Amino acid sequence: MATGRTHRPATRSRGIPEATVARLPLYLRALTALSERSVPTVSSEELAAAAGVNSAKLRKDFSYLGSYGTRGVGYDVEYLVYQISRELGLTQDWPVVIVGIGNLGAALAGYGGFASRGFRVAALIDADPAMTGKPVAGIPVQHSDDLEKIIEEDGVSIGVIATPAGVAQQVCDRLVAAGVTSILNFAPTVLSVPDGVDVRKVDLSIELQILAFHEQRKAGEESNAEAAAEAETAAAAVAPPAPRGTTGGGSRKGPDGDVPAVMPA
């Protein structure tokens, strides 16, 4: 099986936009679920709903792959799974190292989704000598002194940083110097990398802060709506009654409906 160091995904050379690339894993996840249920074909509307996008955007994204579906039938699920997997580079083996085996690093090491999506955890690395040799998710932890040797021997091109923020840049520099060209960063800091190195940042606290903003806005909208309703009720309660025999602006009831009030000469 090919390794990640000698084969790169073809997405950029084919001119697929980055926004489309970011949505391909969403389509793949939805398609994989359909495949596991032995669903042979799927319409663009059904697949778009499962992936959380609109159908027009999905059809545009698939056009970059050269896949247009069949009118009245839809898309072949198994073929799309293969096509997207190939485009993302998931039909080959991608050895990954995880640096920083604290609570988060250990949880990532035990994540079962790596293997099923074309990634192999080649090594777990930590600077704490007490961790060396300790098995985590069935993989013995290795000391960070051996980082460069491990990357070279396993042909690693993807590194995951789960260290404290203070050492993340140093770890990043060592990964890049050793030949790693893609980094998934869980440390709460921004990494500086040279051209040709891709970094994806995952910050759970930022995502929670964004959700908190939306919760606050929803609470504010509800509060404003309640205040408006209370003000309307209060205004109706204190409004003076209209003079008997008149309606609103000085009119009176006649046999044929409202007629203007006759003003005295």
Side-chain angles (χ1 to χ4, degrees), residues 186-203:
F186 283 89
T189 187
V190 176
L191 299 176
S192 176
V193 296
D195 291 341
V197 176
D198 295 308
V199 176
R200 298 286 295 182
K201 179 169 174 53
V202 180
D203 193 322

Side-chain angles (χ1 to χ4, degrees), residues 127-212:
D128 184 359
M131 291 289 295
T132 302
K134 179 181 178 181
V136 174
I139 304 172
V141 176
Q142 302 182 63
H143 195 269
S144 58
D145 287 347
D146 299 323
L147 176 63
E148 288 78 8
K149 177 183 176 183
I150 293 166
I151 291 172
E152 179 62 30
E153 290 181 348
D154 288 301
V156 174
S157 60
I158 299 177
V160 178
I161 297 178
T163 66
V167 298
Q169 184 63 57
Q170 177 185 353
V171 170
C172 174
D173 293 341
R174 289 183 64 188
L175 288 171
V176 171
V180 169
T181 50
S182 293
I183 294 172
L184 181 60
N185 177 34
F186 283 89
T189 187
V190 176
L191 299 176
S192 176
V193 296
D195 291 341
V197 176
D198 295 308
V199 176
R200 298 286 295 182
K201 179 169 174 53
V202 180
D203 193 322
L204 300 180
S205 65
I206 287 178
E207 300 303 323
L208 287 171
Q209 288 168 19
I210 292 172
L211 289 176

Side-chain angles (χ1 to χ4, degrees), residues 3-91:
T3 65
R5 290 295 294 278
T6 56
H7 294 77
R8 303 291 291 174
T11 52
R12 292 181 181 175
S13 62
R14 289 166 57 92
I16 299 178
E18 287 294 327
T20 296
V21 174
R23 287 188 290 269
L24 291 182
L26 303 179
Y27 302 140
L28 182 59
R29 180 175 60 189
L31 287 162
T32 300
L34 293 171
S35 176
E36 290 172 349
R37 287 159 35 207
S38 300
V39 176
T41 59
V42 62
S43 69
S44 59
E45 289 78 10
E46 292 170 333
L47 183 53
V53 302
N54 65 64
S55 57
K57 184 174 293 183
L58 178 143
R59 288 190 291 269
K60 179 67 173 178
D61 289 341
F62 284 179
S63 71
Y64 292 110
L65 306 180
S67 185
Y68 298 93
T70 303
R71 183 178 295 275
V73 176
Y75 293 93
D76 183 289
V77 170
E78 292 298 332
Y79 179 67
L80 266 184
V81 168
Y82 164 74
Q83 196 174 26
I84 295 176
S85 296
R86 181 190 63 187
E87 206 63 48
L88 290 173
L90 304 182
T91 56

